[in-house]
Amino acid sequence: KCMELKSGELIKHVATDCFSLLHRGCTDIVCCIFFIVAIVGYVAVGILGKSVCSSVKDGLGTVKKPLLFYFNMMKCASPMVLLEFQCPTPQVCVEKCPNRTMTLVTAIGDKQDWEYYRSFCREDPGVKVRSVPQILQEKLCPAYLISSKPFLQRCFPSLGKKGEVITVGDQETFNDGEKIRDAKDLVAGMNCGDIKHQPVSSCSCLLIAVVLSLIFIVLLRYLAGIMVWVMIVMVIAVVAYGIVHCSVKYVSLKDTPGANITLQQLGFQPDFSVYLHIRQTWLAFIIILAILEFIIIILLIFLRNRIRIAVELMKEASRAVGYVMSSLFYPIFTFFLLTIVIAYWGVTAVFLSTSSEPVYKVFNETVCPHARETCIPENFTLSKMKTDCPQSECLFAFYGGETPYHKYLIFLQFYNVFLFFWCANFVTALGQMTLAGAFASYYWAPNKTKDMPAFPLCASLGRSLRYHTGSLAFGSLILAIVQIIRVLLEYIDHKLKGAQNKFAKFLLCCLKCCFWCLEKFIKFLNRNAYIMVAIYGKNFCRSACDAFFLLMRNVIRVVVLDKVTDFILFLGKLLIVGLVGIFAFFFFSGHTDAFKGAAPSLHYYWVPILTVLVGSYFIAHGFFSVYAMCVDTLFLCFCEDLERNDGSASRPYYMTTELRDILMKDADAGIKCEVM
């Protein structure tokens, strides 16, 4: 309706009317309600995981035991904890964390100490009938207690410092039941890997990525043409430097003993630094970087004319960004919301995973009616299972549980992952619709200076949340469903790695490929649907349909020009990730004398490096998404404008002269939008 208001004094009010609240109503209300209910359930799951140790029944009734105590914190130092979110050590709910440091051997010899010590056992071990080795073998009690403090309802050793020496309970060493250890050995366990060993260092590298991204975006605003070519040249230079650096490493390891073994002979190693001493690793890096460099150069040669036009389009996008300068900082808001979503998911995952108990199953090499049944190792030798199957053993199977909570724990974890995808997609969608609404208000304003809203970004954010939360939830739900299916397919693929069924592997590979393509298509469709919702205020399905057919009517231009712009922005992301990655490698690896004093001592320095690389990409993606969203919005608005208007006095174009010149500069190549 707004687009039909084309006569007389109404022309100058078209932009205001199109984005007016009078023409809007709440869209996709059912999905909005469903999303709110799901969020409430998500909060309930987090509270449930946190309070799993809230109360425990004993012989005298129900006792409050809100804290989780780990038998052996050293087990948490494994890098696998980062993937499984749990420490492979027995855990028990306790009323208070231990405030003493002692061993099982010393505690048994003193009646008063033993009364205190056994409160941290899974059950009364019966010291009169069991020896200390038996108690430890059956994992009834911890081998030692360490003075601890509660954190996130878990007991962590209370570490301190005497000068430069790390202490635990004012002691520099502790007895773990087998040998005397330094207190500093507990740090790796408490941190659950090196990803938490130096959070300040990792955050500093990510801060560098933020600063670089912001500098590039600001420079694009004023020097778009120059910055695009500078980015292209610097990307080629960074990749070339990577090839040279890897070649030097490859040559330097030529006469090093053990450097000529293959990666297949080496196998999997948790310490990534081991691979860096193998020549084949650096050869693989050289090949990968060389292929990447070749692809970039070939694309630049064939797309050089399109890149010139794309640069002009970036300049127009820069003008739009100039009218909505606050959009440069909107990714910080999106990043803040995503941080909350990721942090809540991570904490909930840790709560759910670390609330497990050791489960023991019956194992037997011959046929046994009780095979894989749950058993209790303490009385297994006297049980009917042992009588029926004399050769069977009661062995540890996994960490889980037999309570109703533990039986449904896998569904709670699945719900946690699904809501993570949904919420993350919702936050991303909110950012896309907010930016689209702000840039569309720029396009449809007849007079860019007078008819623009005072605060276009805030106005667009308010419209999106007030009227289109349901549409945002609908689009992000569809994407989350596809993503969770992909996760399930990856899980099935992991479980079937040892299978010999070629057809099953082929079918699974096809399914993974299809759903990957489907996810990419849905992301593309959702993005353009949010632009149409921001412009016209229709529901998600109607907007997605309109956007799809509009793009199909202009498919040549989408492929030729829009994707060239995406390629340029991708090079910008690649440049920032490359620069930050090079800095992080030299900083954390300690290979450069300049960082040897400041670099932390890490067991697995590849963990923070990978964290910085992934974080840098998402940060760069967040900032460059402003320009990408601006280009996509201007394109859809341009095609709508071209289809509805003819440039006459009664139906004037709303595009700027510069934009019309850009998009019609190469009409012979099929870039011009078709008029229906």
Side-chain angles (χ1 to χ4, degrees):
K1 294 180 180 179
C2 294
M3 297 304 301
E4 294 171 359
L5 301 174
K6 301 294 183 183
S7 62
E9 294 296 322
L10 290 178
I11 291 179
K12 64 181 180 180
H13 299 299
V14 169
T16 304
D17 288 339
C18 281
F19 296 94
S20 172
L21 302 184
L22 297 176
H23 293 278
R24 291 181 183 266
C26 295
T27 56
D28 301 300
I29 300 176
V30 175
C31 196
C32 178
I33 296 173
F34 185 46
F35 181 64
I36 294 173
V37 172
I39 292 296
V40 173
Y42 196 22
V43 174
V45 170
I47 296 174
L48 179 63
K50 182 179 179 182
S51 59
V52 66
C53 287
S54 59
S55 62
V56 178
K57 291 184 177 180
D58 61 6
L60 301 177
T62 302
V63 180
K64 289 186 177 180
K65 295 185 176 181
L67 304 174
L68 192 65
F69 173 73
Y70 300 97
F71 275 24
N72 187 359
M73 182 60 67
M74 301 297 296
K75 295 290 185 180
C76 298
S78 170
M80 296 305 295
V81 174
L82 298 173
L83 303 176
E84 299 178 0
F85 295 105
Q86 70 176 26
C87 301
T89 181
Q91 303 142 27
V92 63
C93 295
V94 296
E95 187 176 359
K96 295 181 180 179
C97 294
N99 55 12
R100 309 182 196 176
T101 300
M102 63 179 73
T103 65
L104 177 62
V105 176
T106 58
I108 289 179
D110 186 285
K111 184 177 181 180
Q112 187 175 0
D113 286 345
W114 175 242
E115 287 297 321
Y116 176 79
Y117 196 98
R118 71 176 183 176
S119 63
F120 298 94
C121 297
R122 291 167 54 203
E123 60 182 71
D124 191 338
V127 294
K128 295 183 179 180
V129 297
R130 287 185 177 91
S131 62
V132 171
Q134 285 179 313
I135 294 174
L136 295 177
Q137 184 178 8
E138 296 174 9
K139 299 181 179 179
L140 300 178
C141 295
Y144 58 92
L145 294 182
I146 292 180
S147 180
S148 305
K149 292 181 179 179
F151 178 70
L152 294 177
Q153 291 191 280
R154 269 68 178 162
C155 293
F156 290 95
S158 52
L159 300 180
K161 266 192 173 184
K162 285 184 179 179
E164 296 297 323
V165 180
I166 296 177
T167 61
V168 55
D170 295 329
Q171 301 295 322
E172 297 179 9
T173 60
F174 70 96
N175 191 325
D176 68 351
E178 297 179 359
K179 62 180 181 179
I180 303 298
R181 289 182 177 269
D182 292 332
K184 64 181 181 180
D185 294 341
L186 287 168
V187 175
M190 287 183 63
N191 290 331
C192 297
D194 288 327
I195 192 169
K196 295 182 181 177
H197 192 95
Q198 278 290 334
V200 176
S201 301
S202 298
C203 290
S204 299
C205 292
L206 294 179
L207 184 61
I208 293 174
V210 172
V211 173
L212 283 176
S213 300
L214 192 58
I215 291 174
F216 270 81
I217 289 295
V218 172
L219 290 176
L220 275 175
R221 164 65 184 90
Y222 298 102
L223 302 169
I226 297 175
M227 284 305 300
V228 167
W229 291 108
V230 168
M231 281 193 301
I232 292 173
V233 173
M234 289 189 68
V235 167
I236 296 175
V238 168
V239 178
Y241 170 78
I243 295 174
V244 173
H245 179 79
C246 294
S247 301
V248 171
K249 287 289 185 181
Y250 178 77
V251 173
S252 64
L253 292 173
K254 181 178 181 181
D255 299 323
T256 304
N260 291 318
I261 66 172
T262 64
L263 294 174
Q264 185 177 4
Q265 292 173 332
L266 183 62
F268 174 76
Q269 299 293 330
D271 186 359
F272 187 75
S273 61
V274 174
Y275 294 102
L276 301 182
H277 295 87
I278 306 301
R279 296 189 74 203
Q280 197 175 81
T281 302
W282 296 104
L283 180 61
F285 288 160
I286 294 171
I287 295 173
I288 294 172
L289 291 175
I291 293 174
L292 180 62
E293 184 87 332
F294 176 77
I295 292 174
I296 292 175
I297 293 175
I298 291 297
L299 287 175
L300 291 175
I301 292 174
F302 283 96
L303 298 177
R304 60 187 183 277
N305 293 327
R306 305 302 174 208
I307 289 176
R308 294 193 188 101
I309 302 175
V311 168
E312 296 298 324
L313 186 58
M314 293 288 290
K315 290 180 180 179
E316 177 63 21
S318 297
R319 282 187 281 270
V321 171
Y323 281 93
V324 194
M325 284 297 292
S326 55
S327 62
L328 290 176
F329 303 96
Y330 186 83
I332 297 177
F333 178 67
T334 300
F335 178 72
F336 173 73
L337 294 180
L338 284 175
T339 301
I340 294 176
V341 172
I342 295 172
Y344 186 82
W345 163 77
V347 171
T348 303
V350 170
F351 280 151
L352 293 175
S353 298
T354 58
S355 60
S356 302
E357 299 174 353
V359 176
Y360 295 84
K361 298 285 186 179
V362 176
F363 290 90
N364 196 41
E365 294 183 1
T366 58
V367 178
C368 176
H370 304 291
R372 303 299 297 173
E373 290 184 10
T374 304
C375 58
I376 302 174
E378 292 80 16
N379 58 7
F380 181 72
T381 54
L382 302 177
S383 66
K384 186 176 182 300
M385 296 179 182
K386 184 69 172 178
T387 304
D388 296 341
C389 306
Q391 303 299 322
S392 63
E393 294 182 87
C394 184
L395 302 176
F396 171 80
F398 55 87
Y399 280 96
E402 298 298 325
T403 64
Y405 167 78
H406 290 103
K407 289 181 179 179
Y408 292 101
L409 185 59
I410 183 65
F411 297 103
L412 296 179
Q413 291 171 329
F414 177 83
Y415 186 78
N416 181 38
V417 175
F418 179 72
L419 262 293
F420 164 71
F421 283 130
W422 196 358
C423 293
N425 291 330
F426 179 87
V427 171
T428 303
L430 176 62
Q432 292 174 344
M433 186 178 292
T434 300
L435 292 172
F439 293 129
S441 65
Y442 160 82
Y443 185 93
W444 295 113
N447 189 312
K448 309 303 182 187
T449 305
K450 297 180 180 179
D451 296 332
M452 282 282 292
F455 302 100
L457 196 68
C458 294
S460 180
L461 177 61
R463 287 194 302 270
S464 300
L465 290 175
R466 182 177 178 181
Y467 295 102
H468 308 305
T469 299
S471 297
L472 294 170
F474 193 6
S476 54
L477 173 63
I478 296 173
L479 184 57
I481 292 173
V482 174
Q483 289 172 333
I484 202 68
I485 292 175
R486 289 193 62 203
V487 171
L488 292 175
L489 289 175
E490 291 294 340
Y491 177 78
I492 295 173
D493 185 40
H494 176 72
K495 291 296 183 181
L496 295 179
K497 274 188 176 180
Q500 301 298 322
N501 192 326
K502 301 294 184 182
F503 177 76
K505 290 182 178 180
F506 172 76
L507 181 61
L508 190 61
C509 183
C510 291
L511 287 174
K512 288 167 62 177
C513 180
C514 290
F515 276 97
W516 180 85
C517 295
L518 181 61
E519 180 183 353
K520 296 300 180 183
F521 174 75
I522 291 176
K523 283 184 177 180
F524 174 76
L525 187 62
N526 281 6
R527 182 185 182 88
N528 291 280
Y530 296 143
I531 296 174
M532 300 300 282
V533 172
I535 297 174
Y536 297 112
K538 299 176 183 178
N539 62 48
F540 177 81
C541 292
R542 179 66 182 275
S543 299
C545 184
D546 291 344
F548 177 77
F549 286 109
L550 181 63
L551 292 172
M552 289 301 100
R553 292 195 293 270
N554 303 282
V555 64
I556 297 178
R557 188 267 164 198
V558 173
V559 175
V560 172
L561 185 57
D562 193 53
K563 293 308 171 185
V564 173
T565 307
D566 291 342
F567 173 67
I568 293 174
L569 295 175
F570 172 74
L571 291 182
K573 301 173 194 176
L574 198 64
L575 175 61
I576 291 174
V577 173
L579 292 175
V580 177
I582 291 172
F583 174 81
F585 174 76
F586 285 115
F587 180 79
F588 287 108
S589 65
H591 289 176
T592 304
D593 295 335
F595 297 127
K596 282 190 176 179
S601 177
L602 302 174
H603 296 89
Y604 310 104
Y605 65 77
W606 58 271
V607 175
I609 291 176
L610 291 179
T611 304
V612 168
L613 287 175
V614 174
S616 299
Y617 177 80
F618 282 113
I619 290 172
H621 176 75
F623 280 97
F624 279 90
S625 64
V626 173
Y627 267 80
M629 203 68 208
C630 184
V631 170
D632 290 345
T633 303
L634 293 179
F635 165 59
L636 279 182
C637 291
F638 170 81
C639 290
E640 278 285 311
D641 193 9
L642 204 62
E643 289 192 355
R644 294 178 179 271
N645 304 302
D646 56 10
S648 63
S650 60
R651 297 172 60 190
Y653 289 131
Y654 286 88
M655 68 187 77
T656 62
T657 305
E658 294 85 359
L659 184 61
R660 183 166 63 249
D661 293 341
I662 293 168
L663 295 178
M664 295 183 177
K665 181 182 292 185
D666 201 3
D668 294 337
I671 295 179
K672 181 178 177 181
C673 294
E674 299 175 8
V675 180
M676 300 299 292

